[in-house]
Amino acid sequence: MIKAEHIFKNFGELHVLKDVSLEIRKGEVVVIIGPSGSGKSTFLRCINLLEKPTGGRVEIDDQEMTALRPKQVVKVREKVGMVFQHFYLFPHKTVLENLIYAPMKVKGLSREKAEERAKELLEKVGLSEKAGQYPSKLSGGQQQRVAIARALAMEPDYMLFDEPTSALDPEMVKEVLEVIQSLADTGMTMIIVTHEMGFAKMVADKVVFMDDGQILESASPDQFFSAPKTDRAKDFLEKIL
Amino acid sequence: MLNDLIGGFKTIAPSIPYIINGIWVSLGIALGASILGFVGGILLSLCKIGNIKVLNGLARAYTSVFRGTPLILQLAIAYFGIPQLFQMGDVNPFTCAVLTFGLNSAAYMSEIIRSGINAVDKGQFEASEALGISYWPAMKDIILPQAIKNILPAMMNEFITLTKDSAIVSTISVTDMMRRSQIVAAQYYLYFPPMLVSLVMYYVIVLILTYFGGRLERRMRRSD
């Protein structure tokens, strides 16, 4: 279980998060939506401490991330996979090397074991034939699927998705969403920040609406999309749907 | 005058191989110094980008001093000054030259490497962090290889500069190509021919290095 309690984040004078609390139970898929600049991504990055909250606490499986030393934080991060908007594959490594590096270095897996697992994952995301390629030879959609496989190679208990399709050409969005959907079907616990409303409706157990650094609504997708409670959520949905 | 010149070359002809072979001394110094400079440069650049204030300051002071004083003076201090101060007797001038050039080059190299590291997308670090990779492995296996690839041309330039600048080791009695042409010049009391031989030789070497540098750069770009 992930618990975020009363998270505040300031960048200098800018207050990006103002008292954000959220709980994610095992097996739950939470989708965070909201206008640009509402603090969604920052909040997601606070969960695995890529961004250090100015105030509040984050707990992952009863371990208080915000109280740990940097070395221990690195350890807990193994349990939390993250997928970024801009993929951030390692450009000087092949697809297969991208997938086996962390399992070998961090988990101490043998090369054979790591490669075996990597190949399984590549098959799952439909990119077996790209194992020997460098990331620059792949399309955006393919790169993002590799990035998802890379995160899964660490066998995480949780996955964080930070606008995974926002940097993609429209025709590539579907292939990435399908991979995420199939991951949800396996019961993976996930937090997804996205602008894809149709996808949110389909995949989410819970939809969280953020605006101006706060959570304004938290509801089931049916409830939220058919009858949003706040005016700002109504406004937002009207603009994008 | 032309006859004098041709005659001059004829006179020093037996000594020309001696001058030319001095290039190995020059290249040896440049190579030794660039290895030292590379390792030192990486350490310094890591001190500069890290969060430890003391190391930060030390690395910056080091760079400032080595870049802010003449190399020929640093060489003189290393070869004449320090051994006398500490009564070390005779020191090997070649070793002394490699060390001084290496320490000096580390200062320049650290700035090159630092800018290379800064040019690597911050996301690369974040992706490593998110995978649970700790600072040093991430730096060594993910960030530095990308940084070095970007700065390879600049490092090649540094090596070429070192090769040329190595001529000043002639002032501490290392018999490099420069020194050898001075020796030959003094022996025959003929200046132009031996100097021209080493001038041409230096230029040829620099052209060759530039050519290989360009090829290396193109090859690196191909994997992008």
Side-chain angles (χ1 to χ4, degrees):
Chain A
M1 181 155 104
I2 296 179
K3 252 197 254 178
E5 291 173 338
H6 307 294
I7 303 294
F8 287 82
K9 177 70 191 179
N10 307 336
F11 292 110
E13 291 292 293
L14 199 65
H15 301 273
V16 182
L17 296 176
K18 307 165 191 166
D19 195 6
V20 179
S21 298
L22 187 65
E23 266 189 37
I24 301 97
R25 289 191 307 273
K26 264 263 151 78
E28 204 174 20
V29 177
V30 175
V31 172
I32 305 176
I33 59 175
S36 303
S38 57
K40 313 180 295 283
S41 289
T42 307
F43 175 60
L44 196 70
R45 293 157 58 82
C46 279
I47 288 175
N48 66 351
L49 253 62
L50 279 187
E51 218 70 77
K52 205 170 159 41
T54 315
R57 43 188 275 159
V58 177
E59 260 180 41
I60 296 179
D61 294 342
D62 296 324
Q63 270 186 300
E64 194 186 337
M65 289 288 276
T66 30
L68 295 177
R69 299 152 158 278
K71 274 223 168 86
Q72 297 166 303
V73 170
V74 172
K75 194 83 196 136
V76 183
R77 278 197 189 120
E78 288 177 34
K79 297 202 272 194
V80 187
M82 184 155 187
V83 174
F84 299 87
Q85 182 178 354
H86 297 288
F87 335 130
Y88 298 141
L89 294 177
F90 306 137
H92 60 303
K93 291 182 179 294
T94 63
V95 166
L96 191 72
E97 287 166 354
N98 263 278
L99 263 65
I100 63 174
Y101 177 78
M104 284 173 64
K105 197 85 191 175
V106 179
K107 292 203 147 173
L109 251 59
S110 69
R111 178 172 281 271
E112 296 79 53
K113 268 254 171 68
E115 282 190 3
E116 190 185 318
R117 171 130 184 85
K119 281 172 186 162
E120 275 170 32
L121 284 166
L122 283 178
E123 203 179 315
K124 254 187 212 163
V125 299
L127 291 169
S128 291
E129 76 284 6
K130 302 288 184 192
Q133 299 272 14
Y134 283 93
S136 56
K137 296 276 184 287
L138 306 185
S139 73
Q142 292 171 333
Q143 288 191 45
Q144 192 61 299
R145 280 144 68 196
V146 172
I148 294 171
R150 180 178 67 176
L152 291 175
M154 289 297 288
E155 307 192 289
D157 297 329
Y158 306 94
M159 286 285 283
L160 310 177
F161 290 88
D162 186 8
E163 303 199 22
T165 58
S166 296
L168 298 178
D169 292 335
E171 72 267 25
M172 289 167 188
V173 169
K174 199 169 151 239
E175 62 187 61
V176 171
L177 293 183
E178 276 170 1
V179 169
I180 301 174
Q181 175 72 59
S182 71
L183 198 56
D185 295 341
T186 67
M188 174 65 79
T189 314
M190 307 199 280
I191 309 176
I192 305 168
V193 171
T194 185
H195 290 294
E196 299 288 333
M197 293 306 141
F199 176 67
K201 216 183 275 186
M202 208 163 58
V203 78
D205 296 314
K206 184 157 85 181
V207 174
V208 170
F209 176 72
M210 280 184 77
D211 192 16
D212 196 23
Q214 288 175 314
I215 292 181
L216 296 188
E217 287 195 42
S218 172
S220 74
D222 284 347
Q223 220 175 354
F224 177 76
F225 285 106
S226 55
K229 283 188 225 114
T230 58
D231 287 342
R232 272 196 274 183
K234 275 178 206 158
D235 211 40
F236 174 73
L237 288 174
E238 251 167 47
K239 270 183 198 144
I240 58 161
L241 286 179
Chain B
M1 194 196 79
L2 195 62
N3 277 339
D4 280 355
L5 195 59
I6 294 167
F9 275 110
K10 276 185 184 153
T11 314
I12 67 152
S15 300
I16 288 179
Y18 171 72
I19 296 175
I20 288 177
N21 276 326
I23 196 67
W24 301 115
V25 179
S26 306
L27 285 173
I29 289 169
L31 190 67
S34 42
I35 291 168
L36 257 177
F38 181 62
V39 175
I42 286 182
L43 293 178
L44 282 170
S45 63
L46 291 179
C47 290
K48 283 179 194 169
I49 60 168
N51 301 326
I52 306 167
K53 285 256 153 60
V54 184
L55 293 179
N56 243 273
L58 281 177
R60 248 184 273 145
Y62 178 99
T63 307
S64 176
V65 169
F66 271 92
R67 293 209 302 184
T69 54
L71 180 51
I72 193 167
L73 180 59
Q74 294 166 16
L75 201 60
I77 288 173
Y79 183 64
F80 301 114
I82 291 173
Q84 189 182 43
L85 188 66
F86 294 100
Q87 299 182 342
M88 292 156 73
D90 280 343
V91 291
N92 182 322
F94 183 82
T95 315
C96 203
V98 170
L99 281 175
T100 311
F101 272 74
L103 293 176
N104 180 278
S105 178
Y108 286 90
M109 212 75 109
S110 72
E111 281 302 294
I112 297 174
I113 296 169
R114 189 177 65 100
S115 71
I117 292 174
N118 285 341
V120 174
D121 195 324
K122 255 194 93 194
Q124 291 290 317
F125 233 126
E126 293 189 343
S128 311
E129 279 187 282
L131 284 165
I133 303 166
S134 34
Y135 182 84
W136 289 112
M139 191 47 106
K140 179 170 78 66
D141 298 330
I142 308 297
I143 308 299
L144 275 178
Q146 294 182 54
I148 287 167
K149 190 174 149 184
N150 293 336
I151 58 177
L152 215 61
M155 293 205 305
M156 198 64 198
N157 276 338
E158 175 65 15
F159 183 73
I160 290 170
T161 305
L162 275 173
T163 308
K164 282 185 298 172
D165 285 355
S166 72
I168 66 171
V169 299
S170 58
T171 60
I172 61 165
S173 82
V174 177
T175 45
D176 71 324
M177 196 157 61
M178 174 76 194
R179 178 86 187 135
R180 288 179 190 210
S181 49
Q182 284 172 337
I183 291 170
V184 172
Q187 191 184 341
Y188 297 100
Y189 199 63
L190 266 174
Y191 281 91
F192 194 78
M195 296 297 170
L196 188 68
V197 168
S198 60
L199 182 107
V200 169
M201 208 44 208
Y202 272 117
Y203 189 52
V204 167
I205 287 293
V206 167
L207 286 183
I208 291 172
L209 290 175
T210 311
Y211 170 74
F212 280 114
R215 270 184 58 153
L216 196 66
E217 202 182 326
R218 273 195 300 280
R219 240 184 82 180
M220 290 307 233
R221 226 181 275 146
R222 217 180 299 153
S223 77
D224 278 342

